[in-house]
Amino acid sequence: MTNGLIPKGVAHVELETTPDPEHFVFLLLPNMSMLAFSAAIEPLRIANQLTGKVLYRWTTMSEDGASVRASNGIEIGVDSPIGETKPGSYVFVCSGVEPDKATTKSAADWIRYQWRTGRVVGGLCTGAYALARAGILGGKEFTLHWENQLPFRESHPDLNVQEQLYVVDGRIMTCGGGAAATDLFLKLIYEKHGPMLSQAVLNMCLHFVHRSDGDSQTSSKSASLGIRNKKLLQIINLFDEEIEQQVDLDEIAYRVGVSRRQMERLFSHHIGRTPKRYLMDLRLQRARALMAETDLPVSEVAFACGFESTSHFSKRFRERFGVSPYSFSVSTS
């Protein structure tokens, strides 16, 4: 079944020509992000509504044709199992949480076939995991949701993941999920039908600003932490860069040009934690991310996050999260 709805609406955009419809195929994987999926498909529906023309058609698929349960627990019906697609189709993989477990071999083979037969192939949210398993990301730039980038890099160190909002590299199109899907699809509408329609779709989505591909997925450290002190931001950036190393706080203070006492005061005033506590929390959050989505042993996770011993790491992890890292990790070796 192919959808090409033209709902009734008040707003209207006149197109001088009526081009042939473009076709989009959405492969829905278990635990997919409904937000990313709706943020992608709604601009297409709105473009049809605004013009009163079938500019876009879309089909939803799952591996076996059965409905798919999204990460929010809602079950979504699909049009068909994976199968034939029309030449010139855009094929997007919609993924979400636990993405490394969501793609089967047969789904990866199907994705690879779509790529080899000339389709544009894309990933929404964590869809890049599926594209990586299909073996089509080598030498390409791409992105996925910021939360999953660290474990993805650990699992696929040879692939070139970018931190930006969305990436178009030839016939590979990826975005970080959420509202980033709207920005990517607005770009496609703009390139096909021009600024009048893309701006009207943007307004209908109450999106206000069409962000560019180079925009960051997350707010800056300054904005997210609500701080502007340049010295403190320098220290925090050094913590991020050197998280795998044994950080000497006195040396960090010296490099930034403040005393250790000044450093302590900055963290207390702006963040409400000591530098040591902030760094520990940073390391533990990174460790949690690695164990949630990689099969790295606990010992390797501890080392990668700057802990001198597995026992020290295990103790701190249990204090922070209330569970042993061995019960949390995929691997217990």
Side-chain angles (χ1 to χ4, degrees), residues 150 154 238-247 279 283 286 290 300-308:
L150 174 62
E154 293 290 337
L238 286 172
F239 283 175
D240 284 334
E241 294 169 6
E242 302 181 8
I243 195 170
E244 297 182 9
Q245 305 173 25
Q246 296 305 308
V247 175
L279 180 58
R283 285 176 163 159
R286 175 170 178 165
L290 287 175
E300 291 189 23
V301 171
F303 179 77
C305 296
F307 289 91
E308 293 182 334

Side-chain angles (χ1 to χ4, degrees), residues 84-103:
E84 292 299 316
T85 62
K86 295 181 179 181
S89 294
Y90 292 75
V91 178
F92 278 88
V93 180
C94 307
S95 190
V97 300
E98 298 186 318
D100 205 27
K101 302 176 182 178
T103 308

Side-chain angles (χ1 to χ4, degrees), residues 134-147:
I136 65 174
L137 292 181
K140 296 290 184 179
E141 293 187 350
F142 61 94
T143 193
L144 68 159
H145 193 282
W146 63 266
E147 183 184 28

Side-chain angles (χ1 to χ4, degrees), residues 6-303:
I6 309 179
K8 293 183 179 179
V10 176
H12 180 72
V13 175
E14 190 67 36
L15 287 186
E16 294 182 0
T17 60
T18 305
D20 292 334
E22 291 189 294
H23 189 228
F24 286 77
V25 177
F26 295 94
L27 170 60
L28 309 187
L29 298 182
N31 287 316
M32 54 159 283
S33 165
M34 184 178 284
L35 175 58
F37 173 53
S38 60
I41 205 167
E42 281 299 285
L44 305 180
R45 189 270 303 173
I46 291 170
N48 287 355
Q49 175 180 315
L50 286 170
T51 60
K53 302 177 186 295
V54 182
L55 303 179
Y56 299 103
R57 297 185 183 275
W58 52 88
T59 301
T60 54
M61 295 181 178
S62 67
E63 182 181 355
D64 56 3
S67 60
V68 175
R69 193 170 297 279
S71 57
N72 58 13
I74 295 176
E75 197 165 333
I76 303 175
V78 299
D79 299 316
S80 72
I82 53 176
E84 292 299 316
T85 62
K86 295 181 179 181
S89 294
Y90 292 75
V91 178
F92 278 88
V93 180
C94 307
S95 190
V97 300
E98 298 186 318
D100 205 27
K101 302 176 182 178
T103 308
T104 64
K105 182 180 183 301
S106 89
D109 290 344
W110 180 80
I111 294 166
R112 187 184 312 110
Y113 178 78
Q114 301 306 308
W115 166 254
R116 288 179 175 174
T117 54
R119 276 57 168 171
V120 172
V121 178
L124 306 180
C125 192
T126 58
Y129 272 91
L131 307 192
R133 183 161 186 184
I136 65 174
L137 292 181
K140 296 290 184 179
E141 293 187 350
F142 61 94
T143 193
L144 68 159
H145 193 282
W146 63 266
E147 183 184 28
N148 305 89
Q149 290 183 8
L150 174 62
F152 184 93
R153 287 190 175 100
E154 293 290 337
S155 301
H156 304 85
D158 55 325
L159 297 181
N160 193 18
V161 61
Q162 304 295 304
E163 297 184 5
Q164 59 203 66
L165 201 65
Y166 61 91
V167 178
V168 176
D169 189 345
R171 288 190 293 113
I172 298 289
M173 298 184 178
T174 50
C175 70
T182 295
D183 292 293
L184 172 57
F185 277 64
L186 282 169
K187 174 183 173 65
L188 299 179
I189 293 170
Y190 174 87
E191 291 179 343
K192 183 69 176 182
H193 301 291
M196 291 292 289
L197 181 56
S198 65
Q199 183 65 40
V201 173
L202 181 147
N203 290 338
M204 288 287 285
C205 292
L206 301 184
H207 201 58
F208 302 117
V209 176
H210 182 194
R211 296 172 295 175
S212 71
D213 55 354
D215 286 350
S216 174
Q217 291 186 28
T218 59
S219 58
S220 65
K221 282 286 194 302
S222 176
S224 62
L225 295 173
I227 56 178
R228 295 181 178 274
N229 187 282
K230 292 182 179 179
K231 296 292 186 182
L232 180 55
L233 289 172
Q234 282 181 267
I235 295 169
I236 290 172
N237 287 333
L238 286 172
F239 283 175
D240 284 334
E241 294 169 6
E242 302 181 8
I243 195 170
E244 297 182 9
Q245 305 173 25
Q246 296 305 308
V247 175
D248 185 322
L249 294 179
D250 289 321
E251 180 186 350
I252 293 288
Y254 176 78
R255 287 163 62 183
V256 172
V258 297
S259 68
R260 176 67 180 270
R261 179 174 293 182
Q262 285 175 310
M263 177 196 284
E264 299 282 349
R265 287 174 177 170
L266 285 172
F267 273 85
S268 176
H269 177 72
H270 293 281
I271 298 180
R273 281 176 283 176
T274 65
K276 185 176 180 180
R277 179 73 259 176
Y278 179 89
L279 180 58
M280 177 62 67
D281 288 344
L282 191 67
R283 285 176 163 159
L284 290 171
Q285 288 292 349
R286 175 170 178 165
R288 182 184 173 93
L290 287 175
M291 289 191 297
E293 294 189 8
T294 72
D295 58 0
L296 288 175
V298 170
S299 57
E300 291 189 23
V301 171
F303 179 77

